[in-house]
Amino acid sequence: MNQPKQYTGLCAENAPKAERQFLCVVAEKLAREGYFLRSGGLEEYSSPFEAGVLAPIGIDPEAPRSISPPMHIYLPFGMAGERVADQETYIDIQRLHHMKTGQYHEVASAHRDVRLTISVNRSFELDSVVPALLGSDLNKKSLFMVCWASNPTFDNRNMINDCSGSMSMAVRIAYSHGIEIFNTAVPTHKHRLLKWITGDNR
């Protein structure tokens, strides 16, 4: 059985509305091309991608679902905002083995800014990003990450290695695990995605 092509989609909560709409379009195109979304963290992190995934199969985000859409959304708790864990599409990380053993937290802690003081709930929100990038068993990393992350920094190969704000930890994890990052806050990245969406091969 073929494994789905898995990518991570994350969006900083302070992303402009136009950027969130663009990420929704990207997610819809990826869903149509057979990609499987993984996301997590705050509801704002995943909502534009969720909407994009649901669009091609005609599922109303407000209505009960009779089929499972091609996505896994990792929740920090059994309920997060309007989302309720079903362990099929919306997954409560508290019920996963590597959360119980502390391995998600270990990965998250190794990549977040140690100068930050965060609450327990915020820690769980950050932990839920780990399986979105590396898989629930930490052994199947995403092919790439699509995101909006402000003020990115780059290494000497012009690869994004950090950013400011809430997306910093996710970017650091992706970078350290060799996951390619497409950040729509970077004009060249956004232009590349736009050309792919429109089929412009020039």
Side-chain angles (χ1 to χ4, degrees), residues 44-60:
E44 291 85 352
Y45 282 18
S46 62
S47 56
F49 295 95
E50 291 180 59
V53 168
L54 297 176
I57 49 181
I59 297 178
D60 182 351

Side-chain angles (χ1 to χ4, degrees), residues 84-164:
V84 179
D86 55 20
Q87 298 309 107
E88 293 183 6
T89 300
Y90 295 93
I91 300 170
D92 176 6
I93 65 167
Q94 304 295 336
R95 296 171 61 181
L96 300 180
H97 172 73
H98 292 293
M99 183 65 183
K100 294 177 181 178
T101 61
Q103 289 174 275
Y104 292 167
H105 186 68
E106 183 178 332
V107 174
S109 296
H111 293 86
R112 68 176 176 84
D113 191 335
V114 296
R115 297 170 296 178
L116 295 178
T117 301
I118 59 175
S119 67
V120 173
N121 285 359
R122 181 58 171 160
S123 175
F124 290 155
E125 290 165 357
L126 294 176
D127 290 348
S128 67
V129 170
V130 175
L133 284 161
L134 304 180
S136 58
D137 291 330
L138 302 177
N139 62 359
K140 187 169 178 57
K141 67 182 183 181
S142 292
L143 297 173
F144 55 88
M145 176 169 75
V146 178
C147 66
W148 186 91
S150 60
N151 303 315
T153 60
F154 300 82
D155 67 10
N156 56 13
R157 298 171 297 143
N158 206 34
M159 305 293 288
I160 297 177
N161 57 12
D162 204 354
C163 67
S164 64

